Amino acid sequence: MTSTLLSEAQALQGRTVALRREIHQHPELGLNLPRTQKTVLDALSGLDLDITLSKQTSGILATLHGARPGPAVLLRGDMDALPMPEETGLDFASSQQGCMHACGHDSHTAMLVSAAHLLHDYREHINGSVRFMFQPGEEGPGGAKPMLDEGILDTDGKLQSVYALHVEPELPSGVIACRTGAILAAVDTVFARLVGKGGHGSQPHNAVDPIPIACEVVQAIQTFVTRRFDVFDPVVATVGRIQSGTVSNVIPEFAEMDITLRSLSVEARQRLADGIERLLRQIPAAHGLEVSVEIERGYPPTVNHASGEQAVIRATQAVLGEDRYMQMAAPYMGAEDFSYLLERYPGAFVFLGAAPTDRPAQPCHSSRMMLDEEAFPAGVAMYAALALQELSTGVVS
């Protein structure tokens, strides 16, 4: 059966591509995705699945029961898009202005639906159940935790393991990339407002100018990050927005700063947040400014279990080939709310290479990001293999 999973996934390619393009053309944001939810439910109709709908979100949990009782494996696909324009020129480009599937969630959902169809034919060989989690809100405000908190993921007993696939448009098509330990970072956001005293641009001595002080803070942040943190436990602090003033001859009253923080460990995360807040308060105070600082906690680090990576290696080598697995040397500094599931259950977050073969690759969150759809059967087969190797005997070795 191992050798047939990829060919069976390839036989489903028409279904996978059509569903991906339908979702891509009609993207939705956040936790409320009514059209996407209906599209997924329609695509699952006819399968012998127990469907549970999230009460707080548009999330779906579809459970496939095997022929015999046993443990449960969860496979996750996210469904939401990003609030940004699309500039791909694709025939199935977004029909919603200012909204685009620029992170591949449309493909994750389509591949997971096809995996449900594939695994449905194997249910006589399954000991236990496969739970397909279709999750909204990964790009914010976060849909994994509400679904966890509702308890619907453990409806029929605790999960044995959890897996999520994510396309990577800058990796060779069809390659699987993973690692043990941190694979993605924690994310926190700092909002700061430095309040001085406005005045005439020709008389700075009669004002308290917040702009040079904000610049001083930016420079201090760079020094703090590079001199106070171990390079083997790295952090990132990026001032993504700094805004102040209206015209050249007016000293403004205030300056605003938005800063994204990324970290890979609990200890570094806390030290980074504390240190940035200290700089934001003390440097302006030394110049006579008042400051308000708000830190918004985001997703924790996404940390793969060793057992999860080993399962991914076995499935990749058995289904795709010995040369299709790539062990990542270092984590990416992006963030993911699948981290909440990996805090609670063993498993792994996995990248699927999907770089286009006919044009330069563009990264996720680019308005020109495109995928090689020929990578999708590998993703469908991997979803199926990860479930089957834990829930049946002799399917994947």
Side-chain angles (χ1 to χ4, degrees), residues 16 19-31 33 36 40 76-83 100-113 133-144 164-169 184 299 335-338 349 351 354 364-365 369 371 376 383:
T16 308
L19 180 57
R20 182 257 170 154
R21 293 184 178 188
E22 166 65 22
I23 296 171
H24 188 96
Q25 195 165 17
H26 302 284
E28 295 176 298
L29 304 175
L31 298 177
L33 318 176
T36 306
V40 171
R76 198 254 355 218
D78 36 12
M79 303 188 292
D80 58 314
L82 283 157
M100 177 191 175
H101 271 288
C103 203
H105 297 186
D106 52 342
S107 62
H108 306 160
T109 298
M111 288 188 292
L112 189 56
V113 167
M133 178 186 183
F134 297 92
Q135 180 212 304
E138 192 285 318
E139 299 291 356
L165 289 181
H166 197 297
V167 291
E168 175 45 76
L184 290 166
Y299 305 151
E336 245 286 348
D337 71 343
F338 191 68
F349 185 85
F351 287 106
C364 285
H365 293 217
M369 191 278 280
L371 302 173
F376 294 174
Y383 270 134

Side-chain angles (χ1 to χ4, degrees), residues 36-99:
T36 306
Q37 184 190 61
K38 183 179 185 304
T39 299
V40 171
L41 291 172
D42 289 346
L44 294 172
S45 64
L47 299 181
D48 186 15
L49 301 170
D50 289 342
I51 302 294
T52 304
L53 301 183
S54 169
K55 294 179 181 178
Q56 299 180 42
T57 75
S58 290
I60 303 166
L61 185 74
T63 301
L64 174 66
H65 294 284
R68 292 162 294 281
V73 172
L74 181 139
L75 308 174
R76 198 254 355 218
D78 36 12
M79 303 188 292
D80 58 314
L82 283 157
M84 58 182 289
E86 178 163 353
E87 299 176 298
T88 61
L90 293 168
D91 293 341
F92 54 91
S94 173
S95 62
Q96 309 299 315
Q97 188 173 5
C99 188

Side-chain angles (χ1 to χ4, degrees), residues 351-392:
F351 287 106
L352 168 66
T357 57
D358 59 346
R359 67 196 71 206
Q362 300 292 333
C364 285
H365 293 217
S366 164
S367 62
R368 294 181 174 84
M369 191 278 280
M370 286 186 270
L371 302 173
D372 178 18
E373 293 177 328
E374 294 303 313
F376 294 174
V380 174
M382 281 297 297
Y383 270 134
L386 287 167
L388 288 173
Q389 71 183 3
E390 294 195 32
L391 300 178
S392 60

Side-chain angles (χ1 to χ4, degrees), residues 174-176 316-317 320-326:
V175 165
I176 297 296
T316 304
Q317 293 177 343
L320 304 181
E322 294 282 340
D323 62 341
R324 294 282 87 187
Y325 184 76
M326 184 184 83

Side-chain angles (χ1 to χ4, degrees), residues 110-188:
M111 288 188 292
L112 189 56
V113 167
S114 287
H117 281 266
L118 195 163
L119 286 166
H120 190 264
D121 293 337
Y122 281 91
R123 58 193 184 281
E124 291 301 318
H125 301 278
I126 292 175
N127 305 315
S129 63
V130 186
R131 300 177 194 170
F132 304 93
M133 178 186 183
F134 297 92
Q135 180 212 304
E138 192 285 318
E139 299 291 356
K145 197 167 188 306
M147 293 183 71
L148 270 171
D149 292 344
E150 285 182 81
I152 63 174
L153 305 186
D154 285 325
T155 300
D156 296 319
K158 188 173 180 178
L159 294 164
Q160 175 171 286
S161 55
V162 297
Y163 299 96
L165 289 181
H166 197 297
V167 291
E168 175 45 76
E170 296 183 287
L171 285 179
S173 185
V175 165
I176 297 296
C178 191
R179 73 191 306 270
T180 295
I183 190 169
L184 290 166
V187 58
D188 300 305

